[in-house]
Amino acid sequence: MLMAALGFSAMGGAAKMLKDGFNAGQLVFFRNAVGLIFLLPGFLHRPWKNKGGKLSGLVFRGIMGTTALYTLLFCILHMPLGTAMTYNISSTIWIALLSFLIFGEYNGVRVLFAILLGFIGMVLIYKPIMHLPVTYHLAGVLSGLTSAIAYLTVGRLAAYYDPRVIVLSFLVSGFIFPLISMMLHHFAGVPDDGLFIISWTMPGLRQSLFILLMGLAALFGQYCVTRAYGSDRAGVVSAFSYASILFSLTIGLFLGDHLPDLVSFAGILCIVTSGIIISLYKRKQK
């Protein structure tokens, strides 16, 4: 999960570098196209071995993941990187809530306290920017919620499908939807709205490098998160996703963000403490 957090943070930084030339829908297309190019040859080298039988769950996971990616990239292009990633990381709270309401998964008071402490730290690091349009904030909330649903679905599919197949379901969905929207624009004349109906834009050499970085970092993160949620209880694994706040903070500094103030450092301390509590819980369980 820590490696997944690093991959998604790098993806966010690369997407931020592309904001002047591409919209969110186009980035969804390129991100998943790169992923497919590098994932599919692996099946020739090592074919998948699936128990199968959960095709509807696989399709649902792809749709939820694609929705989460659309809204996340929309936020990254219109918000500071830290704020956008913070909304996405709110999936941890949704996971804990949905795990309890739907699956009756309760990890104890200590884990609940750790998750809440991590959320408080997240808020301290990136204060809400309320002057932005409400649609941006709604997109952020939807990003966290759909990410949580997608991650929970991963945990239920892990016993039936190769982790690469679960990743593939997301990549195929995220490639087909923007491809159809481009066809609607160019062949049916539907106006480009920059999100769900998009046009084709040819990237230059420098842009292609960032697109490659975005796609590879995202594929790496997606594979790691699939393995993580498939090997432990979602409410426990999700707490480690707070690490992406630290990674995003570092990447943001390289992109020109200012050093965090004392309040932000206090938030970092909360997140680190949260991770320690979860680690001690996992060790006790083992």
Side-chain angles (χ1 to χ4, degrees):
M1 194 61 196
L2 292 175
M3 300 302 288
L6 177 60
F8 290 137
S9 298
M11 180 205 76
K16 197 72 172 176
M17 296 298 295
L18 294 165
K19 66 177 182 178
D20 294 330
F22 300 92
N23 55 48
Q26 292 168 334
L27 291 183
V28 170
F29 175 79
F30 285 122
R31 179 250 195 244
N32 290 288
V34 171
L36 285 173
I37 291 173
F38 282 88
L39 181 65
L40 289 176
F43 290 115
L44 299 177
H45 174 69
R46 183 166 62 91
W48 65 58
K49 295 180 180 180
N50 298 320
K51 179 180 179 182
K54 299 291 183 180
L55 181 59
S56 59
L58 205 61
V59 173
F60 180 72
R61 185 268 178 272
I63 294 174
M64 288 295 100
T66 299
T67 304
L69 180 61
Y70 262 102
T71 49
L72 172 60
L73 289 175
F74 177 80
C75 291
I76 288 175
L77 296 184
H78 294 89
M79 291 180 173
L81 178 60
T83 304
M85 296 302 291
T86 297
Y87 269 124
N88 187 251
I89 290 302
S90 68
S91 60
T92 302
I93 308 301
W94 290 108
I95 286 173
L97 179 61
L98 294 176
S99 295
F100 175 72
L101 294 177
I102 300 177
F103 304 116
E105 180 181 307
Y106 179 63
N107 298 303
V109 176
R110 291 183 181 180
V111 172
L112 177 61
F113 170 75
I115 292 174
L116 293 176
L117 183 63
F119 179 73
I120 292 172
M122 178 176 61
V123 173
L124 290 176
I125 291 178
Y126 296 115
K127 297 82 177 173
I129 303 178
M130 298 310 298
H131 66 270
L132 294 174
V134 66
T135 52
Y136 294 0
H137 294 286
L138 290 175
V141 172
L142 184 61
S143 171
L145 176 59
T146 51
S147 291
I149 296 174
Y151 292 157
L152 285 173
T153 307
V154 166
R156 305 298 155 175
L157 293 173
Y160 300 91
Y161 293 99
D162 186 308
R164 296 171 300 160
V165 174
I166 300 176
V167 174
L168 181 64
S169 70
F170 166 64
L171 293 177
V172 170
S173 175
F175 179 79
I176 291 178
F177 279 107
L179 180 63
I180 292 175
S181 73
M182 280 192 285
M183 295 176 64
L184 289 174
H185 171 72
H186 289 288
F187 298 110
V190 180
D192 184 344
D193 64 5
L195 184 60
F196 296 112
I197 302 297
I198 59 176
S199 58
W200 167 259
T201 299
M202 178 64 71
L205 177 60
R206 182 174 179 273
Q207 293 172 323
S208 297
L209 293 176
F210 281 114
I211 287 174
L212 182 63
L213 173 60
M214 178 181 66
L216 289 178
L219 179 62
F220 174 75
Q222 198 65 50
Y223 180 77
C224 289
V225 82
T226 300
R227 294 299 298 267
Y229 278 101
S231 61
D232 207 337
R233 290 191 286 181
V236 175
V237 172
S238 61
F240 287 91
S241 63
Y242 285 126
S244 66
I245 297 295
L246 305 180
F247 296 138
S248 296
L249 177 63
T250 303
I251 292 174
L253 291 176
F254 281 104
L255 294 179
D257 292 346
H258 298 292
L259 286 170
D261 54 24
L262 290 177
V263 176
S264 295
F265 275 118
I268 293 175
L269 181 60
C270 288
I271 292 173
V272 172
T273 304
S274 172
I276 292 174
I277 294 173
I278 298 296
S279 297
L280 291 175
Y281 170 83
K282 288 173 67 66
R283 182 178 180 181
K284 182 179 179 181
Q285 290 298 103
K286 288 181 180 180

